[in-house]
Amino acid sequence: MTERKPPGVSVESWVDRQIREAAERGEFENLPGWGKPLASLDAPYDELWWIRGKMHREGFAVLPPALALRKEAEDTVEKVRAARSEARVRALLTEINEKIGAALRMPPPGPPLGLTEFDVEAEVEAWRRTHPEAAGDTP
């Protein structure tokens, strides 16, 4: 909508006309959530609702570095369980161990880290027991 408000026309009538014409063209049909109640109608007022919504949609969370690393370690355990090859398991564990090692050498601000590096060989052995089809899969 690049059309400018013509002089002498009230803003309200100009906006109403723009909305009516857009509705006639069907521009409001098939929008996400169309025909559904607003999810936030019953929620208490939150002046930062749009920031929280944007962060949620983008998958962004604000956690202290120590908690973020703990979460990443938990996610890595899940990825290891779902890995299809021993090489992938080793790569995942090596990557998270590097981050944990760096955090142990220089603890991040916030709550205590509460992590130790993964024993790669023990984790690989556990993965092998749950993935017998990959018996000959070595890096």
Side-chain angles (χ1 to χ4, degrees):
M1 178 171 109
T2 58
E3 183 181 335
R4 297 183 71 101
K5 180 184 86 59
V9 175
S10 74
V11 172
E12 185 174 350
S13 354
W14 180 72
V15 169
D16 288 339
R17 191 185 92 231
Q18 296 291 316
I19 292 171
R20 181 182 45 75
E21 289 174 356
E24 289 170 357
R25 290 190 302 268
E27 293 183 18
F28 297 125
E29 295 174 9
N30 299 323
L31 293 173
W34 184 79
K36 298 177 186 166
L38 296 174
S40 62
L41 276 181
D42 297 327
Y45 177 71
D46 178 10
E47 66 182 31
L48 300 177
W49 64 271
W50 62 276
I51 293 174
R52 294 184 206 290
K54 176 71 171 169
M55 289 173 60
H56 178 72
R57 286 189 303 277
E58 297 295 326
F60 183 75
V62 179
L63 287 175
L67 294 182
L69 186 54
R70 280 193 218 168
K71 173 78 171 101
E72 189 175 348
E74 290 173 9
D75 292 346
T76 298
V77 170
E78 294 300 317
K79 289 177 186 175
V80 163
R81 288 183 186 147
R84 294 177 167 241
S85 71
E86 184 177 320
R88 179 71 179 142
V89 170
R90 289 181 183 279
L92 288 166
L93 292 171
T94 300
E95 181 181 346
I96 193 66
N97 274 351
E98 289 172 2
K99 293 178 181 181
I100 293 171
L104 289 172
R105 286 187 296 279
M106 180 172 273
L113 186 60
L115 286 175
T116 57
E117 292 182 1
F118 289 93
D119 180 345
V120 176
E121 294 307 318
E123 293 293 331
V124 167
E125 188 57 39
W127 178 84
R128 283 185 190 143
R129 284 193 299 274
T130 60
H131 295 76
E133 71 280 0
D137 181 29
T138 55

